[in-house]
Amino acid sequence: FVGNSTYLDDHGPPPQKVLPFPSQVVYNRVGKCGSRTVVLLLRILSEKHGFNLVTSDIHNKTRLTKNEQMELIKNISTAEQPYLFTRHVHFLNFSRFGGDQPVYINIIRDPVNRFLSNYFFRRFGDWRGEQNHMIRTPSMRQEERYLDINVCILENYPECSNPRLFYIIPYFCGQHPRCREPGEWALERAKLNVNENFLLVGILEELEDVLLLLERFLPHYFKDVLSIYKNPEHRKLGNLTVTVKKTVPSPEAIQILYQRMRYEYEFYYYVKEQFHLLKRKFGLKSHIRKPRPRPEFFIPSPLETEEPMDDEEEDDEKWLEDIYKR
């Protein structure tokens, strides 16, 4: 650089103005981890702060071919900045395809609770309407819809056994086929990506602290998020998304789930620890009850790797838009 007068002569046009904050953010939201609540907040925030909220109509395709990855990365990368892109999709490595790696954020929750929420949501929906589940899973037979959760777990139905219980880790591990195989390889790769590519992975059980940190790290996107979240009107809307007809499995069934989800729990505790370190660093105290003791894991028998079931994710976008227009 040799002074303004000769800069254009020597270097051509000046570089694009760099925005003074991360201007490319991806929230590759994990299903049944509070993502509808956060997307509802993002809709309000994008209007308020003027960033580009890019959503997807595709809710049940988390795994992509190489061409699909390239296509999606190209589409995201050319969005008007600052943007926040959100979709249920396993981690995408932008730099592998020559793109700028965006800042990633995500939220996870206790794996058994996430699984139970999904199990009953697929069958019975939530308070938005008792008939929603019929539209969402029309091909589900009545005996499957009313299948007792204990029977599903104890009798090893596919929906309640591996690898379909291996759900959270692939969102952080990525698109490699081994990311869907329950094991150390996927676990370690997911941890590495959390460290290298995620600005924040929060814990749903401590959502207010997650929102506080997002506001601190990404103010252009999340300024005032906590006051919006605590607004009684918003709280009322949030209650509509609570899954109905949940029942708690027997202790024996839960212990079996813990065994089957041992890698998910290793990951969950790792993320939780990182999250608490971050909270302490920024002076946030954890106002939570003493955690339950970690489950005693037994090494599961060798896990077969079959193609996991497609995520039966709901089409929330239209619903959220309707609510926001009211």
Side-chain angles (χ1 to χ4, degrees):
F1 185 81
V2 277
N4 287 333
S5 56
T6 59
Y7 184 78
L8 285 177
D9 304 333
D10 296 347
H11 296 86
Q16 249 189 323
K17 184 169 178 252
V18 177
L19 295 166
F21 51 82
S23 58
Q24 303 171 79
V25 178
V26 172
Y27 170 33
N28 64 322
R29 51 200 181 116
V30 181
K32 308 315 298 167
C33 289
S35 65
R36 278 183 297 165
T37 300
V38 178
V39 170
L40 181 51
L41 289 167
L42 283 168
R43 289 211 176 277
I44 298 166
L45 291 164
S46 66
E47 296 268 328
K48 192 175 163 71
H49 301 318
F51 62 84
N52 181 15
L53 179 61
V54 186
T55 58
S56 171
D57 295 331
I58 301 165
H59 297 287
N60 60 356
K61 193 168 176 54
T62 52
R63 306 178 294 280
L64 309 175
T65 64
K66 191 174 174 186
N67 282 344
E68 287 168 339
Q69 288 177 58
M70 283 169 73
E71 190 62 27
L72 182 57
I73 285 169
K74 193 175 91 183
N75 289 344
I76 298 171
S77 299
T78 53
E80 187 189 342
Q81 295 182 23
Y83 69 73
L84 189 148
F85 174 79
T86 180
R87 173 178 159 178
H88 296 291
V89 66
H90 295 165
F91 175 79
L92 291 160
N93 188 339
F94 282 58
S95 48
R96 183 182 166 209
F97 298 101
D100 290 336
Q101 192 68 8
V103 160
Y104 269 85
I105 57 172
N106 218 322
I107 299 172
I108 64 172
R109 76 193 278 196
D110 179 278
V112 163
N113 286 342
R114 195 220 70 84
F115 164 73
L116 294 175
S117 178
N118 190 56
Y119 184 89
F120 292 106
F121 179 78
R122 288 184 67 231
R123 286 161 169 76
F124 307 115
D126 53 37
W127 290 111
R128 289 177 290 165
E130 190 64 15
Q131 294 312 306
N132 275 4
H133 61 283
M134 297 297 184
I135 301 159
R136 186 172 300 107
T137 51
S139 59
M140 190 181 275
R141 299 188 313 278
Q142 284 301 87
E143 60 266 33
E144 187 187 349
R145 195 176 297 284
Y146 292 96
L147 174 64
D148 182 277
I149 184 76
N150 289 304
V151 172
C152 184
I153 296 164
L154 298 173
E155 297 188 13
N156 212 14
Y157 279 68
E159 188 179 352
C160 298
S161 57
N162 273 310
R164 290 178 183 174
L165 296 177
F166 192 71
Y167 181 88
I168 298 171
I169 286 174
Y171 275 87
F172 299 87
C173 177
Q175 296 289 337
H176 193 288
R178 283 186 75 184
C179 286
R180 302 193 291 276
E181 297 177 12
E184 292 290 335
W185 189 90
L187 169 66
E188 291 308 318
R189 183 156 163 159
K191 285 182 187 175
L192 190 69
N193 274 336
V194 165
N195 295 338
E196 292 184 353
N197 292 299
F198 283 79
L199 178 69
L200 179 71
V201 183
I203 298 294
L204 183 62
E205 293 84 352
E206 299 166 46
L207 182 59
E208 288 195 5
D209 287 342
V210 178
L211 297 177
L212 261 175
L213 286 176
L214 283 170
E215 189 169 353
R216 182 166 293 201
F217 294 163
L218 296 169
H220 187 84
Y221 298 88
F222 287 97
K223 190 170 186 305
D224 299 325
V225 66
L226 205 56
S227 54
I228 296 166
Y229 174 69
K230 286 181 164 181
N231 181 305
E233 279 304 299
H234 182 272
R235 274 292 162 89
K236 216 157 55 185
L237 296 177
N239 289 339
L240 293 173
T241 68
V242 174
T243 302
V244 297
K245 294 195 181 182
K246 265 193 212 172
T247 56
V248 179
S250 68
E252 183 192 0
I254 284 186
Q255 183 60 35
I256 288 170
L257 280 181
Y258 276 144
Q259 292 169 32
R260 290 177 186 166
M261 300 172 96
R262 61 180 290 253
Y263 295 112
E264 294 275 275
Y265 269 98
E266 272 191 54
F267 182 72
Y268 173 71
Y269 284 122
Y270 175 79
V271 166
K272 195 172 184 174
E273 205 175 324
Q274 300 297 311
F275 181 63
H276 285 171
L277 285 172
L278 208 52
K279 276 172 54 168
R280 279 204 295 280
K281 187 175 166 186
F282 287 94
L284 294 177
K285 289 197 173 70
S286 293
H287 301 293
I288 49 170
R289 291 187 303 275
K290 277 176 72 174
R292 284 178 300 176
R294 293 193 185 194
E296 289 299 315
F297 292 117
F298 303 95
I299 303 296
S301 54
L303 305 166
E304 291 175 30
T305 61
E306 55 173 282
E307 190 65 1
M309 182 165 47
D310 273 343
D311 312 328
E312 298 273 6
E313 279 301 339
E314 68 289 350
D315 183 2
D316 14 323
E317 308 306 331
K318 172 125 186 32
W319 173 75
L320 289 168
E321 276 165 19
D322 291 347
I323 277 187
Y324 191 58
K325 281 175 193 155
R326 278 180 206 165

